[in-house]
Amino acid sequence: MNKKITFITKPNRKLTGTIRVTGDKSMSHRSIMLGALAKGSTKVSGFLNGEDCLATIKAFRKMGVEIEGPEKGNVTIHGVGLKGLKAPIADLDMGNSGTAMRLLTGIMVGQDFDVSLTGDASLSKRPMRRITRPLEQMGANITTGEGGTPPLSIRGGNQLSGIHYDLPVASAQVKSAVLLAGLYAEGETSVTEPAVTRDHTERMLRGFGYTVVTKGNCISLRGKGELIACDIDIPADISSAAFFMVGASIAKGSDLTLEHVGVNPTRTGVIDILKLMGADITLFNQKEVGGEPVADIRIRFAALKGIEIPEALVPLAIDEFPSIFVAACFAEGQTVLTGAEELRVKESDRIQVMADGLLACGADVTATPDGIIINGGTLSGGEIDSHGDHRIAMAFAMAGLCADGDIVINDCANVDTSFPNFISIALKTGVNIKCC
Ligand code: S3P
C-alpha cells in the first residue's frame, strides 16, 4: 500500500437516513473458496468488492479457476471440483487478509502441488502457527517464516488424515482452516471450540450440499465428499455496519437505518454490548437468506453508560472493539474489557493502537494485557495514527462526530480492504469527513 490517505473529521453532526453497507467480508471470501472447489457454477450477489476479497479472487484465478466479476456485487465462479485446482506459476499474495491466508492454507495442504503464500507488512507479522500446528498433525508440510509468520511454503502431495482438534484459541479462522483441510482428509475431522465463533464456513458448506455436524461446541465433517454449486446472497457486513451503529448511538439526534445486515448470532456481539450500554437498537424485517439470518437495524441516539463487557461476548464482537471503545469514551462511567488478548494480533495491536489514539484525543483509557479500561466523558480531538488498520481508521471517523475538535486520522488507505465506499456512505449519513 503506497498511497497515504488521511481522514479529517469535524464534530457536531447527527447520523440520519437509510443505508446498506457493503457485503460481508467473511462470507465473500468463503463464497469464492467454496465456489471454486464446487462442481458447477456458483452465482454470488452482494459480494464485497474490497481488496481483501479481491486477493482471494486473484489467488483462485492464478490456480486456473474462471471467475466473472465482481460487477455491482455479482460474481460467478466456475468451480473446478475439490481436485481441479492447478499449480500457480507464482506466489499467491494475500495482501492484508488473515482470513484469506489462513483459510486458503487449509485448502492448499490438500493439493498435489507446492505453493507459497505471502502478505503485506501487517499480515507478515501475524501468527500462523495456530494453523500450521493442527494442519501438520493432519499430515501437511508447511514452512513458515521465522517466528511462525508468513510467508508460508506448502508442499503438496501429502495424504491427509482426519484429526480431532481442541482449538486453543476461539478462532473461526483456525476452525475453518482445519475443516477445509478435512475436505481432503481420510475419515473424520472434528474441531472443538473453547467459545462459539462465527460459523459461516459450516453454514456455507451445508449450502453447497456438504454434511457438517455441529454438536455443542464440536464441529465435524468427513473428507472426500463433493461440493455442489449454489447461489449465494451475501448480506451487508455487520462489522462495517457497527461503525454506524456506534456513530448513531453517540451523536445526539441520530436516527439511522441499516438495511439487510447479516445478523448471524455468532456475529451479533456488538449489538448485545451496545444494548447493555443502553443503546437504542431495533431489528426488524428479520428473515433468513441462504441459510444466514438477515435484518434491517434502526439505531437512535441514546445516552450510553459504561459496563463490564461479558467475556462470552468477546468472540462474537471480535472485530468491533475499535468502535465499541469509541462508544465507551462517550458513555457515562467506566467500561472494562477483559479476555480479549486476541485483539493484539489483528491487523494491528488493536488494544495498544486504540489506547494510543484515544489518549491522543484526550480520553481517559488504560490498556491492559487482555483488554482496556475506559472512563467515559468526551474527546477533545487530536491527531492519530491508524497503523494501516482499516477498523481503527473507521472507528476514529465515528469518534470525530462527537469530539470537541477535529480528529486527523493518518494512514487510512487500508479502509479499502473491507469498506471501499466508506467515505461516500459516511457523507450520506451526515458524517463531516474529508479524505485527502
Ligand atoms: C474471521 C475470523 C476472525 C475475524 C476476522 C474474520 C473469519 O478472526 O477477526 O476478521 O472470517 O473467519 P479469528 O478467527 O482470528 O478470530
Side-chain angles (χ1 to χ4, degrees), residues 25-26 30 99 102 130 170-173 198 318-319 346:
K25 182 153 73 71
S26 293
R30 287 160 172 81
T99 308
R102 295 196 177 112
R130 52 179 59 198
S171 164
Q173 293 180 356
R198 66 189 68 193
I318 193 67
D319 290 338
K346 294 294 178 189

Side-chain angles (χ1 to χ4, degrees), residues 11 30 44 70 74 115 135-136 138 156 186 199 205 235 260 286 317 351 393 395 405:
R30 287 160 172 81
V44 181
N74 296 317
V115 64
L135 295 176
E136 281 163 359
M138 296 175 80
E186 245 4 291
D199 63 357
L205 278 168
H260 203 70
Q286 300 201 40
I351 292 176

Side-chain angles (χ1 to χ4, degrees), residues 54-311:
L54 295 177
T56 294
I57 288 189
K58 260 191 218 150
F60 279 93
R61 282 192 176 131
K62 283 189 180 167
M63 292 187 284
V65 181
E66 197 192 319
I67 300 171
E68 296 170 51
E71 177 70 46
K72 295 195 173 126
N74 296 317
V75 181
T76 303
I77 308 129
H78 300 285
V80 294
L82 274 174
K83 290 305 255 178
L85 297 177
K86 298 204 175 73
I89 44 174
D91 295 352
L92 301 178
D93 180 2
M94 309 323 297
N96 191 246
S97 177
T99 308
M101 181 167 285
R102 295 196 177 112
L103 270 58
L104 194 61
T105 302
I107 296 170
M108 291 297 97
V109 295
Q111 307 305 316
D112 294 330
F113 50 82
D114 299 346
V115 64
S116 288
L117 306 183
T118 61
D120 71 1
S122 151
L123 183 53
S124 298
K125 287 192 218 131
R126 296 183 65 187
M128 292 296 148
R129 288 215 176 105
R130 52 179 59 198
I131 53 163
T132 60
R133 261 190 229 111
L135 295 176
E136 281 163 359
Q137 282 176 31
M138 296 175 80
N141 182 338
I142 310 170
T143 312
T144 66
E146 239 174 80
T149 52
L152 301 180
S153 300
I154 302 158
R155 296 303 290 267
N158 295 298
Q159 178 49 60
L160 305 182
S161 317
I163 55 165
H164 174 73
Y165 193 61
D166 274 319
L167 284 180
V169 278
S171 164
Q173 293 180 356
V174 181
K175 167 178 69 175
S176 301
V178 173
L179 291 175
L180 291 171
L183 298 175
Y184 292 92
E186 245 4 291
E188 186 179 272
T189 297
S190 58
V191 180
T192 303
E193 350 185 59
V196 176
T197 68
R198 66 189 68 193
D199 63 357
H200 304 302
T201 301
E202 299 92 299
R203 285 178 190 249
M204 206 178 278
L205 278 168
R206 291 186 190 114
F208 279 89
Y210 212 93
T211 304
V212 181
V213 179
T214 302
K215 275 196 198 136
N217 272 7
C218 181
I219 305 105
S220 61
L221 54 74
R222 297 194 71 80
K224 316 236 165 181
E226 208 173 61
L227 301 178
I228 306 297
C230 61
D231 290 348
I232 301 174
D233 174 0
I234 297 179
D237 197 329
I238 190 167
S239 296
S240 298
F243 301 107
F244 293 95
M245 288 183 207
V246 166
S249 295
I250 62 175
K252 275 209 176 94
S254 294
D255 186 350
L256 185 71
T257 298
L258 304 167
E259 287 180 323
H260 203 70
V261 181
V263 287
N264 178 318
T266 62
R267 296 285 298 281
T268 46
V270 60
I271 297 177
D272 298 331
I273 292 169
L274 288 174
K275 279 188 170 173
L276 287 172
M277 296 175 79
D280 180 354
I281 301 180
T282 329
L283 271 58
F284 58 105
N285 281 341
Q286 300 201 40
K287 56 188 168 202
E288 186 144 317
V289 176
E292 290 276 356
V294 169
D296 294 343
I297 303 178
R298 182 176 182 191
I299 310 104
R300 280 172 283 191
F301 165 78
L304 301 183
K305 58 179 194 305
I307 58 163
E308 279 186 25
I309 298 174
E311 285 195 9

